[in-house]
Amino acid sequence: MKNKITERRKELKITQQELADTVDVARQTIISLEQGRYNPSLKLANAITKALKVKHIEDLFELENGGD
Amino acid sequence: MIGKPEWFKRRKYTGWGITPKTWQGWVYVAVFVTLIIGFHTIPTLDNTTRTIGTGLWLLVLGIDSIDIMIHLKKDERNYLHEAISERNAAWYMVIVLALGIAYQGISSGLQQRLYVDPILLIALFGGLAIKAGSNIYLDRKD
């Protein structure tokens, strides 16, 4: 799954730690998400979408071709 | 209890349990160790009192450690990684136990004296019971 977390986070001038604290996960989890090494649950994806003030989850997360 | 979960983190690379993460965690460990050493240096205590005192102190430490581990903050990625790594460790232990039981059974059987260490059997079948109980609990919880 691709995502635009890094770009949106930088637009809002939020650090990885601040985002992690807002959605109640470890900073390492945010790092793994931004590097595309971890796919979040729907609950976490929704929380990140709200924290980054994005209207729709699909604007922030995108399933890659052939994904489940 | 005594220690706070935010002072510790889960051991990932050096066994099971917890390890200090903050200076408060290290102070906690130092105090526990210092007090038990200090207790043993009291000259007027007899061996029975030392043994009982040490046992009680270790019991308090054990219960506090379990309480800390239960309340350690984990996010979904931590849960997933812990589940996978513990599953891999459990599979390795099951395989070694099964091979050990088979080896003992076969080698003792060939000597006309079938014997398998009961601790190995308790470990293997106890693990099986825990796995079954966990799945029953999780199925009902869902």
Side-chain angles (χ1 to χ4, degrees), chain B residues 16-31:
Chain B
W16 285 268
I18 52 177
T19 188
K21 186 174 76 173
T22 64
W23 65 265
Q24 294 94 332
W26 288 109
V27 168
Y28 173 95
V29 171
V31 167

Side-chain angles (χ1 to χ4, degrees), chain A:
Chain A
M1 189 186 288
K2 291 181 184 175
N3 65 73
K4 299 174 187 172
I5 296 175
T6 308
E7 295 93 319
R8 183 61 184 156
R9 182 176 59 76
K10 287 181 178 176
E11 279 175 23
L12 296 176
K13 293 182 172 47
I14 301 172
T15 64
Q16 289 175 332
Q17 187 61 61
E18 287 168 342
L19 179 58
D21 292 341
T22 303
V23 298
D24 201 24
V25 297
R27 179 171 163 259
Q28 184 58 52
T29 299
I30 298 297
I31 294 171
S32 294
L33 282 166
E34 291 186 350
Q35 293 175 351
R37 294 188 287 120
Y38 176 69
N39 291 332
S41 65
L42 186 57
K43 183 180 174 186
L44 179 57
N46 193 43
I48 292 173
T49 302
K50 285 185 179 173
L52 294 177
K53 300 182 172 60
V54 175
K55 202 167 182 186
H56 304 290
I57 286 182
E58 53 267 26
D59 293 335
L60 198 58
F61 296 93
E62 179 188 331
L63 278 173
E64 291 172 316
N65 288 338
D68 48 333

